[in-house]
Each structure stands twice: as structure tokens, then as C-alpha cells.
Amino acid sequence: MSLSLPDELAHVHACPNRELLAQALAAAVADDLRAALAERGRAVLALSGGTTPVRFFQALAEQPLPWKQVAVTLVDERWVDETSARSNAALVRQHLMYGAAAVASFLPLYRAYGHGPEQALPELEEELAQLPLPLDVAVLGMGNDGHTASLFPGGDWLERALDPAGSARVLPMHAEAAGEPRITLTLPVLAAARHLYLHIEGEHKAQVLQQALAAEAGPPIATVLRAARTPVQIYWCP
């Protein structure tokens, strides 16, 4: 199938396979980071976890960039320590922050105290406020239920996290499909990104996305795409 979306919402970049998709996405993100560095001397990049972005992280790590001037953070995180195989922070450290990219600064979202993400909110808000927001680049993924970041359908904090007038930069999320408790950047932070990307693979994900945007009240991915300040750049392969 082909992935076709309204131009005012998104620009689709289709690639024939996952390797070429990772290379193309890495090149585009690196170009945006270079532009930010040339303009402001610093760039902020927010990344998603899961299994899909591993090739992309590795391709991005090979891009020639002044990594010391790049701040990396996460779009969301499972509330697990970096010793867990489900840690997004561990994934970024392993597959992106090596070689030349090892000197980039990194702001993980998990904090190893308390009983859940709620207790870490004040500290995370303070640390995110020290980044030169808005994000220069945010790279999102999408689940089969239409969630993106940790904005899960049915999540207990979803309404507040999707409030376009909300002041919170980060909020907790508990949802049946999420497994562990989560922490996530909110809609205002994601939608304000200078460059917002969506990285998806497979025909099923393309179908989920098209159905989400066709629905009058679609899942969270539809809300994020409709709120973005510029058309979202969607990188996809069958």
C-alpha cells in the first residue's frame, strides 16, 4: 500500500526498506540540527524508544556533527532503571551515544527515587526548563493503538497531557497498554518542535495512521499531528 496524507498535516517520505529509511531519516535530522547550530550555537533533540529506531540511532551517530553542542533527551520513558532492557535511555546510550556522538549531553527522564514518576515531576520540569526550548527536532514513533510518546488511549493523565493550553512540560502516564508507569513530554512541547518527525515501519502502521487521521476524534497520534506547528515529516517503509 502507499501512505497518503493531507499536505497541510504531513509530508510522507517513503523508502523501500528499513536500512535506507534509517539513513534518510538520519540525514534529514542531522541537517536540521546543523541549521539550528548555525543559527543558535546549540541544538536540542528529543528521541523515542522501542525497537524501531535502533537503525536510525546508529545512522545518526555516524553523521558528522559537532555533538558537544547537541543536547539529547527523550520524548518519553518507561519508569524503569537503565539496567532494564525496556529502558529508552539505555537504548539511546547504547545505539547513539558512542564514538563522536558520545560527547553530546543527555537528559534522561527516569529518576531512581520514589515510587513512581509523579514524585519526579518537579525535578524534571526544572531540568527541561534549562534546555533551550522549543525542541529543534523531535522524532516520534507510533503504536498499533495510535499512541505516540506515552500518550496512550485511556491513559489516566491523557486529557491533561493533550491540553494545548497546558503549562506542564512533562507528565506521568498509567495505562493498561503501557505496562510500566510512564513519563512523557506533553502536547504543547511536542507540537512546538521546530521539526517534528514520525518514524514508522510496515503496512499495518501506515493503515493505523491513515485511519487515525480519518477519524473525527482519532487516537493521540492524530491530535499531535494536527497540533504541530509545521507539517510533520513522516518517514516510512513497507
Side-chain angles (χ1 to χ4, degrees):
M1 67 173 291
S2 62
L3 179 57
S4 178
L5 300 173
D7 288 342
E8 66 271 18
L9 285 182
H11 296 158
V12 178
H13 307 263
C15 295
N17 59 58
R18 295 177 178 180
E19 188 60 40
L20 290 176
L21 178 66
Q23 295 289 339
L25 178 57
V29 168
D31 282 346
D32 289 338
L33 294 176
R34 291 187 192 102
L37 291 165
E39 182 179 345
R40 293 177 293 280
R42 192 175 178 194
V44 186
L45 168 65
L47 298 170
S48 298
T51 56
T52 299
V54 168
R55 290 180 180 86
F56 159 59
F57 289 171
Q58 294 168 341
L60 185 59
E62 296 172 0
Q63 286 286 327
L65 283 163
W67 283 103
K68 197 167 185 178
Q69 297 164 252
V70 177
V72 179
T73 189
L74 292 164
V75 164
D76 68 323
E77 180 62 282
R78 301 175 176 97
W79 205 248
V80 295
D81 187 81
E82 289 187 31
T83 57
S84 170
R86 289 175 58 76
S87 165
N88 290 342
L91 191 81
V92 169
R93 291 189 196 276
Q94 179 180 356
H95 295 289
L96 173 65
M97 303 188 71
Y98 61 89
V103 298
S105 63
F106 182 46
L107 174 59
L109 299 182
Y110 172 77
R111 296 294 180 273
Y113 62 81
H115 301 290
E118 289 82 357
Q119 293 183 336
L121 290 180
E123 179 180 333
L124 289 171
E125 282 282 355
E126 182 178 347
E127 293 188 9
L128 286 166
Q130 294 174 16
L131 294 178
L133 299 177
L135 300 167
D136 290 294
V137 178
V139 184
L140 301 173
M142 184 191 71
N144 290 328
D145 59 356
H147 86 265
T148 190
S150 281
L151 303 168
F152 281 87
D156 59 346
W157 289 73
L158 183 64
E159 183 176 356
R160 184 174 171 187
L162 290 179
D163 181 357
S167 60
R169 296 179 179 89
V170 63
L171 284 173
M173 194 68 63
H174 303 80
E176 183 176 352
E180 306 91 342
R182 305 281 187 112
I183 193 86
T184 185
L185 298 185
T186 60
L187 175 66
V189 176
L190 296 174
R194 292 185 173 96
H195 302 278
L196 187 60
Y197 289 83
L198 176 61
H199 178 191
I200 56 174
E201 298 177 354
E203 294 190 354
H204 181 66
K205 288 285 183 77
Q207 185 177 18
V208 169
L209 180 59
Q210 292 199 150
Q211 291 174 346
L213 290 171
E216 186 172 335
I221 185 61
T223 303
V224 173
L225 264 64
R226 290 173 179 142
R229 60 183 283 180
T230 58
V232 177
Q233 305 298 315
I234 300 178
Y235 278 72
W236 168 77
C237 69

